[in-house]
Amino acid sequence: MKIVVWNENRHENENPEVSAIYPEGIHGAIANFLGEEFEHVKTATLDEPEHGLTDEVLKETDVLVWWGHMAHDEVKDEIVEKVKQRVLEGMGLIVLHSGHFSKIFKTLMGTTCDLKWREADEKERLWVVDPTHPITEGIGEFIELEKEEMYGEHFDIPTPDELVFVSWFEGGEVFRSGATFKRGRGKIFYFRPGHETYPTYYNKDIQKVIRNGVKWAANTNTPTPVYGNAQPLEEIK
Amino acid sequence: MKIVVWNENRHENENPEVSAIYPEGIHGAIANFLGEEFEHVKTATLDEPEHGLTDEVLKETDVLVWWGHMAHDEVKDEIVEKVKQRVLEGMGLIVLHSGHFSKIFKTLMGTTCDLKWREADEKERLWVVDPTHPITEGIGEFIELEKEEMYGEHFDIPTPDELVFVSWFEGGEVFRSGATFKRGRGKIFYFRPGHETYPTYYNKDIQKVIRNGVKWAANTNTPTPVYGNAQPLEEIK
Amino acid sequence: MKIVVWNENRHENENPEVSAIYPEGIHGAIANFLGEEFEHVKTATLDEPEHGLTDEVLKETDVLVWWGHMAHDEVKDEIVEKVKQRVLEGMGLIVLHSGHFSKIFKTLMGTTCDLKWREADEKERLWVVDPTHPITEGIGEFIELEKEEMYGEHFDIPTPDELVFVSWFEGGEVFRSGATFKRGRGKIFYFRPGHETYPTYYNKDIQKVIRNGVKWAANTNTPTPVYGNAQPLEEIK
Amino acid sequence: MKIVVWNENRHENENPEVSAIYPEGIHGAIANFLGEEFEHVKTATLDEPEHGLTDEVLKETDVLVWWGHMAHDEVKDEIVEKVKQRVLEGMGLIVLHSGHFSKIFKTLMGTTCDLKWREADEKERLWVVDPTHPITEGIGEFIELEKEEMYGEHFDIPTPDELVFVSWFEGGEVFRSGATFKRGRGKIFYFRPGHETYPTYYNKDIQKVIRNGVKWAANTNTPTPVYGNAQPLEEIK
């Protein structure tokens, strides 16, 4: 399985508070803990040519992890379109935190993906609401994060195929924090935590969920549909 | 409730076979049977200014019915964007037959909306698979159409919120023919039948389903979510 | 539309704190606010013959509202079975609060319907997560209850057909508080609030949601499936 | 992973036509092709003590495969209850063909699980409608069976969590032939084909789907929810 961790990598370059937490970038931190379980993990960032997502890279990627925030608009439409085609073909996609507003997530969802938010150093507790789901393997009934950004309902997404986590926030909101979606042959997992000013991606449970998500999202040689004009399989009177 | 029936109205103008079946256009036929139950039914077509979907029209439309086929590409992107915003705000949308490939349906679904198809004068039987659904009010266990175009799986849509009809085709295929989706505050019903060379929209059961769909899709004064930065509702330590 | 509000009516008779809040019983309070919108509203209670749910009553009931808690086990299995058959035939069912552990809800769900709970006079805030749903008509983004019993995840129910409300609790939990299910031709709405020692059923938003739920749950003359041995509709070679 | 294939094993003993096709019983045939991929595969049958499903057997079973038909009523209620508890605890369950009417499936679904049926040596074609699903690994767009019993809609089950296959039948019906459900910590896969008088379980695609189903249904160390009275995690004012 070949994994690419994509990050816009801007906060890390512009905000010392962020680079102090993530000296190798958020992508570096994520690639590191994915590397504990998976052999082929690469990174790609916004400022690379074609954002690091060339046809060659996309073609051989099984699962793409996406983190972006302040520079969603700088991601080129033609790259977004290529990523979308690959998801529809069967590439798994893990969208993290502020990636809810990325072009790729919005175009795959068909909605605004808007939400409530607040940066107030508040507590988040992610409750498992689907204890059958392989994405919850190895964790407990909930994950607690001492300080995170708040995301609150209504989260403007289509009904998820599966709702895995619901967050409680200290300030009074709830949020559908872990949700899966199917598009074409592709499987998508949105996972809420990971504001850039908190060390969330060093949390062992968060790492476990993302590793589980990657495993879940990888396509397993499922059928490739054929579209267009079709000859009848049975005689038509 | 204010309803607009939109039609590209091209087959009717170019193909005498179609205009013989639908002398008032497909939009005219649909508006007629909607008018039996609803007071405010208008039509709009591709060649009108702004495709007949001005800001004023869209603003006061509760449910939009969409039929298009050969001219999907001529629908202007800015109009599609306005229709999308209105759906997300709460306007109901009924997408009929070849509207599966319309820009508005594809952008709301996030997928290709592709499928198999065949024009072979074959029999279609639409089976009700959700006998709780108000869209099935007043019909029997199935609807039979002696001759229709075939649409076959795989239909590249997201998992429907509700699957209401599944079609059997004489030539050997099946199709998810009636399916609902939620996007933002808007409710969407896709309904398969209605190839332009068959008198499908004169079938009483098909008419009943579309009237039911319009009723179901109308928003009923549900909450309008507030998005963006939010003050805490509870004290944060 | 004919509505029956069923209540075990035991807390009211045994606990003066409860009868002070609900002098006409919880069923009386619910019947009162349903009566503001619907013409035919009756009540039935555990200690009546056949629990007030005779064949005649069940046969003509369109929507049954259910409140029970301390006496679930006293509800006779044969009455539960009759209620279940009526739900499968198309009677709507609204299950309130501690009704999550009623025999009728458990047998329709197929799971334990277990959950976490706590009586600690804590605040509950029910967030709307589906702003398309007619059950949310006329309310705001959330409903706030100053004091309620806590119900927390994991709530052991099948995946709801629709998730309408998610609750935030002061003590740190979340809960899927408003959820719909389809069984046979019947529509079921589970709605969490309503502990017997709080005046929850006098809250105007709670009343509105229950009225909306009743309207939503009523069957609308949908098809009655035919089961069993079937003659072919097409020639088999 | 430990797998038990359960079969009532009555048609095989009473009908020479069936025993000619399945000389080792349907359970033997299924255990054989599961054994090609999994190490620990056992069988259990109705006429063994406790139907072969003792506490010890159930305790260590990860996935149970179920085939039954003419003797559903002979399965003891207390065994059904134990199997149900194990499913809710996390044991996977694969229900095949006429198992739709088994006590275990009906109690987990909460519905009648009724359907239309016909024995007429007709063709079935199972179309993949979810090409992301691991249960479809390694097969094509559809599976064709020259002769099978017909099962037709309406199939009285709750809305599946996932709909994987839809069948086309020569005689004019459709059926939701492959569907998944979650109950408690358990994953359930219903798969339609396998009438006792046809050699369906020797079909390589059918075998592949059942092997895939077993892999999919096995629980992967997901969280075990705690139920009942709960201390607050946050201070309540």
Side-chain angles (χ1 to χ4, degrees), chain D residues 161-176:
Chain D
D161 279 276
E162 298 168 308
L163 181 61
V164 185
F165 293 99
V166 171
S167 282
W168 176 98
F169 285 97
E170 196 178 352
E173 288 86 358
V174 297
F175 195 73
R176 288 170 291 170

PDB file of all heavy atoms in Angstrom, chain D residues 161-176:
ATOM      1  N   ASP D 161     -27.451  -1.243   6.275  1.00  0.00           N
ATOM      2  CA  ASP D 161     -26.350  -0.289   6.418  1.00  0.00           C
ATOM      3  C   ASP D 161     -25.657  -0.088   5.076  1.00  0.00           C
ATOM      4  O   ASP D 161     -25.280   1.031   4.735  1.00  0.00           O
ATOM      5  CB  ASP D 161     -25.357  -0.795   7.463  1.00  0.00           C
ATOM      6  CG  ASP D 161     -25.820  -0.486   8.862  1.00  0.00           C
ATOM      7  OD1 ASP D 161     -25.574   0.627   9.320  1.00  0.00           O
ATOM      8  OD2 ASP D 161     -26.481  -1.348   9.478  1.00  0.00           O
ATOM      9  N   GLU D 162     -25.503  -1.169   4.350  1.00  0.00           N
ATOM     10  CA  GLU D 162     -24.888  -1.094   3.023  1.00  0.00           C
ATOM     11  C   GLU D 162     -25.618  -2.073   2.110  1.00  0.00           C
ATOM     12  O   GLU D 162     -25.880  -3.208   2.500  1.00  0.00           O
ATOM     13  CB  GLU D 162     -23.409  -1.491   3.081  1.00  0.00           C
ATOM     14  CG  GLU D 162     -22.574  -0.582   3.962  1.00  0.00           C
ATOM     15  CD  GLU D 162     -21.189  -1.152   4.234  1.00  0.00           C
ATOM     16  OE1 GLU D 162     -21.094  -2.323   4.662  1.00  0.00           O
ATOM     17  OE2 GLU D 162     -20.213  -0.425   4.012  1.00  0.00           O
ATOM     18  N   LEU D 163     -25.902  -1.616   0.908  1.00  0.00           N
ATOM     19  CA  LEU D 163     -26.505  -2.487  -0.102  1.00  0.00           C
ATOM     20  C   LEU D 163     -25.406  -2.811  -1.113  1.00  0.00           C
ATOM     21  O   LEU D 163     -24.848  -1.902  -1.734  1.00  0.00           O
ATOM     22  CB  LEU D 163     -27.674  -1.770  -0.773  1.00  0.00           C
ATOM     23  CG  LEU D 163     -28.434  -2.560  -1.837  1.00  0.00           C
ATOM     24  CD1 LEU D 163     -29.061  -3.823  -1.259  1.00  0.00           C
ATOM     25  CD2 LEU D 163     -29.496  -1.677  -2.484  1.00  0.00           C
ATOM     26  N   VAL D 164     -25.092  -4.073  -1.266  1.00  0.00           N
ATOM     27  CA  VAL D 164     -23.931  -4.469  -2.064  1.00  0.00           C
ATOM     28  C   VAL D 164     -24.351  -5.097  -3.397  1.00  0.00           C
ATOM     29  O   VAL D 164     -23.766  -4.819  -4.432  1.00  0.00           O
ATOM     30  CB  VAL D 164     -23.020  -5.427  -1.262  1.00  0.00           C
ATOM     31  CG1 VAL D 164     -21.744  -5.739  -2.043  1.00  0.00           C
ATOM     32  CG2 VAL D 164     -22.677  -4.844   0.109  1.00  0.00           C
ATOM     33  N   PHE D 165     -25.359  -5.958  -3.365  1.00  0.00           N
ATOM     34  CA  PHE D 165     -25.836  -6.620  -4.577  1.00  0.00           C
ATOM     35  C   PHE D 165     -27.337  -6.412  -4.736  1.00  0.00           C
ATOM     36  O   PHE D 165     -28.078  -6.441  -3.750  1.00  0.00           O
ATOM     37  CB  PHE D 165     -25.601  -8.139  -4.510  1.00  0.00           C
ATOM     38  CG  PHE D 165     -24.169  -8.556  -4.526  1.00  0.00           C
ATOM     39  CD1 PHE D 165     -23.506  -8.874  -3.344  1.00  0.00           C
ATOM     40  CD2 PHE D 165     -23.471  -8.652  -5.720  1.00  0.00           C
ATOM     41  CE1 PHE D 165     -22.178  -9.282  -3.347  1.00  0.00           C
ATOM     42  CE2 PHE D 165     -22.148  -9.059  -5.733  1.00  0.00           C
ATOM     43  CZ  PHE D 165     -21.488  -9.369  -4.546  1.00  0.00           C
ATOM     44  N   VAL D 166     -27.770  -6.270  -5.996  1.00  0.00           N
ATOM     45  CA  VAL D 166     -29.192  -6.302  -6.334  1.00  0.00           C
ATOM     46  C   VAL D 166     -29.370  -7.342  -7.435  1.00  0.00           C
ATOM     47  O   VAL D 166     -28.663  -7.303  -8.444  1.00  0.00           O
ATOM     48  CB  VAL D 166     -29.702  -4.930  -6.814  1.00  0.00           C
ATOM     49  CG1 VAL D 166     -31.121  -5.046  -7.357  1.00  0.00           C
ATOM     50  CG2 VAL D 166     -29.657  -3.904  -5.689  1.00  0.00           C
ATOM     51  N   SER D 167     -30.310  -8.248  -7.221  1.00  0.00           N
ATOM     52  CA  SER D 167     -30.528  -9.321  -8.201  1.00  0.00           C
ATOM     53  C   SER D 167     -31.612  -8.989  -9.210  1.00  0.00           C
ATOM     54  O   SER D 167     -32.640  -8.398  -8.863  1.00  0.00           O
ATOM     55  CB  SER D 167     -30.936 -10.621  -7.494  1.00  0.00           C
ATOM     56  OG  SER D 167     -29.822 -11.255  -6.933  1.00  0.00           O
ATOM     57  N   TRP D 168     -31.369  -9.442 -10.436  1.00  0.00           N
ATOM     58  CA  TRP D 168     -32.342  -9.474 -11.520  1.00  0.00           C
ATOM     59  C   TRP D 168     -32.787 -10.916 -11.678  1.00  0.00           C
ATOM     60  O   TRP D 168     -31.962 -11.827 -11.682  1.00  0.00           O
ATOM     61  CB  TRP D 168     -31.655  -8.995 -12.798  1.00  0.00           C
ATOM     62  CG  TRP D 168     -32.468  -9.035 -14.054  1.00  0.00           C
ATOM     63  CD1 TRP D 168     -33.137  -7.998 -14.624  1.00  0.00           C
ATOM     64  CD2 TRP D 168     -32.657 -10.156 -14.942  1.00  0.00           C
ATOM     65  NE1 TRP D 168     -33.734  -8.403 -15.789  1.00  0.00           N
ATOM     66  CE2 TRP D 168     -33.466  -9.722 -16.005  1.00  0.00           C
ATOM     67  CE3 TRP D 168     -32.232 -11.480 -14.918  1.00  0.00           C
ATOM     68  CZ2 TRP D 168     -33.844 -10.571 -17.062  1.00  0.00           C
ATOM     69  CZ3 TRP D 168     -32.615 -12.335 -15.951  1.00  0.00           C
ATOM     70  CH2 TRP D 168     -33.418 -11.874 -17.009  1.00  0.00           C
ATOM     71  N   PHE D 169     -34.096 -11.145 -11.798  1.00  0.00           N
ATOM     72  CA  PHE D 169     -34.601 -12.492 -12.040  1.00  0.00           C
ATOM     73  C   PHE D 169     -35.339 -12.545 -13.369  1.00  0.00           C
ATOM     74  O   PHE D 169     -36.080 -11.608 -13.711  1.00  0.00           O
ATOM     75  CB  PHE D 169     -35.521 -12.942 -10.910  1.00  0.00           C
ATOM     76  CG  PHE D 169     -34.781 -13.322  -9.666  1.00  0.00           C
ATOM     77  CD1 PHE D 169     -34.638 -12.407  -8.634  1.00  0.00           C
ATOM     78  CD2 PHE D 169     -34.202 -14.573  -9.544  1.00  0.00           C
ATOM     79  CE1 PHE D 169     -33.938 -12.751  -7.486  1.00  0.00           C
ATOM     80  CE2 PHE D 169     -33.500 -14.918  -8.401  1.00  0.00           C
ATOM     81  CZ  PHE D 169     -33.367 -14.001  -7.370  1.00  0.00           C
ATOM     82  N   GLU D 170     -35.175 -13.671 -14.031  1.00  0.00           N
ATOM     83  CA  GLU D 170     -35.772 -13.899 -15.347  1.00  0.00           C
ATOM     84  C   GLU D 170     -37.282 -13.675 -15.342  1.00  0.00           C
ATOM     85  O   GLU D 170     -37.857 -13.170 -16.313  1.00  0.00           O
ATOM     86  CB  GLU D 170     -35.455 -15.342 -15.761  1.00  0.00           C
ATOM     87  CG  GLU D 170     -35.658 -15.641 -17.210  1.00  0.00           C
ATOM     88  CD  GLU D 170     -35.279 -17.094 -17.530  1.00  0.00           C
ATOM     89  OE1 GLU D 170     -34.719 -17.785 -16.636  1.00  0.00           O
ATOM     90  OE2 GLU D 170     -35.538 -17.524 -18.668  1.00  0.00           O
ATOM     91  N   GLY D 171     -37.925 -14.041 -14.235  1.00  0.00           N
ATOM     92  CA  GLY D 171     -39.386 -13.952 -14.166  1.00  0.00           C
ATOM     93  C   GLY D 171     -39.917 -12.553 -13.908  1.00  0.00           C
ATOM     94  O   GLY D 171     -41.128 -12.358 -13.809  1.00  0.00           O
ATOM     95  N   GLY D 172     -39.035 -11.551 -13.755  1.00  0.00           N
ATOM     96  CA  GLY D 172     -39.510 -10.178 -13.676  1.00  0.00           C
ATOM     97  C   GLY D 172     -39.307  -9.451 -12.354  1.00  0.00           C
ATOM     98  O   GLY D 172     -39.706  -8.292 -12.229  1.00  0.00           O
ATOM     99  N   GLU D 173     -38.659 -10.089 -11.376  1.00  0.00           N
ATOM    100  CA  GLU D 173     -38.484  -9.450 -10.071  1.00  0.00           C
ATOM    101  C   GLU D 173     -37.052  -8.966  -9.855  1.00  0.00           C
ATOM    102  O   GLU D 173     -36.134  -9.331 -10.582  1.00  0.00           O
ATOM    103  CB  GLU D 173     -38.839 -10.448  -8.943  1.00  0.00           C
ATOM    104  CG  GLU D 173     -40.313 -10.750  -8.816  1.00  0.00           C
ATOM    105  CD  GLU D 173     -40.767 -11.879  -9.734  1.00  0.00           C
ATOM    106  OE1 GLU D 173     -39.922 -12.401 -10.490  1.00  0.00           O
ATOM    107  OE2 GLU D 173     -41.954 -12.230  -9.713  1.00  0.00           O
ATOM    108  N   VAL D 174     -36.900  -8.137  -8.841  1.00  0.00           N
ATOM    109  CA  VAL D 174     -35.582  -7.715  -8.361  1.00  0.00           C
ATOM    110  C   VAL D 174     -35.515  -8.040  -6.861  1.00  0.00           C
ATOM    111  O   VAL D 174     -36.541  -8.252  -6.215  1.00  0.00           O
ATOM    112  CB  VAL D 174     -35.330  -6.204  -8.565  1.00  0.00           C
ATOM    113  CG1 VAL D 174     -35.340  -5.837 -10.034  1.00  0.00           C
ATOM    114  CG2 VAL D 174     -36.346  -5.366  -7.778  1.00  0.00           C
ATOM    115  N   PHE D 175     -34.292  -8.030  -6.323  1.00  0.00           N
ATOM    116  CA  PHE D 175     -34.127  -8.348  -4.900  1.00  0.00           C
ATOM    117  C   PHE D 175     -32.813  -7.752  -4.386  1.00  0.00           C
ATOM    118  O   PHE D 175     -31.797  -7.805  -5.076  1.00  0.00           O
ATOM    119  CB  PHE D 175     -34.106  -9.874  -4.704  1.00  0.00           C
ATOM    120  CG  PHE D 175     -34.289 -10.310  -3.278  1.00  0.00           C
ATOM    121  CD1 PHE D 175     -35.530 -10.223  -2.659  1.00  0.00           C
ATOM    122  CD2 PHE D 175     -33.210 -10.799  -2.530  1.00  0.00           C
ATOM    123  CE1 PHE D 175     -35.701 -10.633  -1.342  1.00  0.00           C
ATOM    124  CE2 PHE D 175     -33.380 -11.214  -1.219  1.00  0.00           C
ATOM    125  CZ  PHE D 175     -34.629 -11.125  -0.624  1.00  0.00           C
ATOM    126  N   ARG D 176     -32.883  -7.239  -3.154  1.00  0.00           N
ATOM    127  CA  ARG D 176     -31.654  -6.747  -2.505  1.00  0.00           C
ATOM    128  C   ARG D 176     -30.907  -7.962  -1.944  1.00  0.00           C
ATOM    129  O   ARG D 176     -31.141  -8.383  -0.832  1.00  0.00           O
ATOM    130  CB  ARG D 176     -32.016  -5.728  -1.421  1.00  0.00           C
ATOM    131  CG  ARG D 176     -32.507  -4.392  -2.018  1.00  0.00           C
ATOM    132  CD  ARG D 176     -33.101  -3.472  -0.967  1.00  0.00           C
ATOM    133  NE  ARG D 176     -34.356  -4.000  -0.472  1.00  0.00           N
ATOM    134  CZ  ARG D 176     -35.014  -3.524   0.583  1.00  0.00           C
ATOM    135  NH1 ARG D 176     -34.524  -2.488   1.257  1.00  0.00           N
ATOM    136  NH2 ARG D 176     -36.143  -4.075   0.977  1.00  0.00           N
TER     137      ARG D 176
END
